[in-house]
Amino acid sequence: MSTPVVMPQMGESIAEGTIVRWIKKVGDSVDRDEPLFEISTDKVDAEIPSPAAGVLVDISVKEGETVPVNSVVATIGEPGARPATTAPAAGGNGHSAEGPPAPTPVPQADGAPATPAAAASAPPPVAAVVSTPPVAPVAPVAPAPVGPVAPAAPVASGVERQRSSPLVRRIAKEHNVDIGQIAGSGIGGRVTKHDILAFVEKGQATPPSAAAGTVARAPQPGPAAPAPGQAPGVFRLPSDRVEPMSVMRRKIAEHMVLSKHTSAHVYSVFEVNYSRIDQIRKAKKDDYERMGAKLTFTSFIAKAAVDCLRQHPTINASIDGDNVVYRGTVNLGIAVALDNGLIVPVVKGADEKNLLGLSRSIQDIADRARAKKLNPDEVQAGTFTITNPGNFGAQFGLPVINQPQVAILGVGSIEKRPVVIDDMIGIRLMGYLTLGYDHRLVDGAVADQFMAELKKTIENFDANQV
């Protein structure tokens, strides 16, 4: 008896996932819960365990393909079973020479079948833009397919087309986009993040004036598109090596561009004396290690920041349209550098933890982020983020805000420097802290008051908290 392996749903709002790497190949024996393949989603990268013990007899989805959740991506046969194919395709992904079989749809909770990968990747029909004269309304034009006619994922209408994740709805709101205008390529016509970003990038988002009642004109033809994979103005040399972006790199690029487009970034830089916490750290480091925690400068900075956020709730807030959401707790994001990108796991309820608890939590999420063992909810719902480019020697950085937050703290390198103390030159352990903040909500005075208190808290850290 064979066991289907499906693309898991790594979070409530996740509709699809990308196969990044097959850890096992066709014909390999696998144990139950042994890592089988690695996926990347909007929220997290993770290694997916095998649902059963046996032999991997078939791989249905290639590395790099994106398929809906619950699509069958592989099949596990009983121990000793023979693979479904004997002529794997080049690249060792276990497919036959005729090409990989299409993912098998699996019924969803609402009764709609999952869309096969080929249909999901087909270009959705693009709705024609109609200019309505002020005298008499013009009937809407039916969507017309672009390019060669080919089987495509069904375009949902009405309520189905409105299905989307919170991230998609937020992007739509920020750009005054009616999600009903977009032909979704996800399950049951669901509008994915890729759909909304492509729609906005093409300049089809309705400007504020149009949202208020001004009718948008049909877009005029633009210049010819560049060659596939080549941006305008990018030249190639014979010695160049061209590689496609990884899934994680593409997602980081999308999030960074979205953040810079959304928030009015402003920065304040403060120099901080770390000599006191260095003394405390040296005195208590061994005790913390015996309790299974690393007492780092990041631990002290995080504790001081969390305490200061209680007194400055605007720094720990978010903007929701014309409303300000003041968070009732501090969920602290800690940026972790990986070999192929960056991820920001979140310490939930950081304001309820003492220094020991915070140190343990930071160490735990950082270790599991590097091992790709995070759960989807552990990279969501952050309210404030700390990133530490100083680990690599940077004096300070100007980090990009992690949406939908309104501030991010950058930690520069901590090193001995000459400073003036009571009209004398002394050597102290110094470093820069940078606060990047969204000027739509956070004024310069508020940001600087927060930073001044953070500097004071670090330089006069209460040893009783350790």
Side-chain angles (χ1 to χ4, degrees), residues 288 291-294 299 355-365:
Y288 270 59
M291 292 184 284
K294 290 182 180 179
S299 302
L355 184 61
L356 176 61
L358 202 52
S359 299
R360 283 175 172 164
S361 296
I362 291 173
Q363 181 182 336
D364 173 60
I365 60 172

Side-chain angles (χ1 to χ4, degrees), residues 60 68 149 155 171 231 236 364 432 463:
S60 306
V149 178
V155 179
I171 296 173
R236 303 278 172 81
D364 173 60
Y432 294 105

Side-chain angles (χ1 to χ4, degrees), residues 309-344:
L309 286 171
R310 290 198 194 104
Q311 309 303 319
H312 299 272
T314 304
I315 308 294
N316 194 49
S318 290
I319 296 175
D320 183 14
D322 293 331
N323 299 317
V324 179
V325 180
Y326 292 99
R327 305 297 185 178
T329 188
V330 178
N331 291 341
L332 184 65
I334 301 292
V336 178
L338 306 178
D339 291 339
N340 59 341
L342 184 77
I343 194 168
V344 185

Side-chain angles (χ1 to χ4, degrees), residues 276-289:
R276 177 168 176 78
I277 63 173
D278 183 49
Q279 294 172 354
I280 298 173
R281 176 178 170 272
K282 288 176 179 177
K284 298 291 185 177
K285 182 174 60 173
D286 292 342
D287 293 341
Y288 270 59
E289 288 180 356

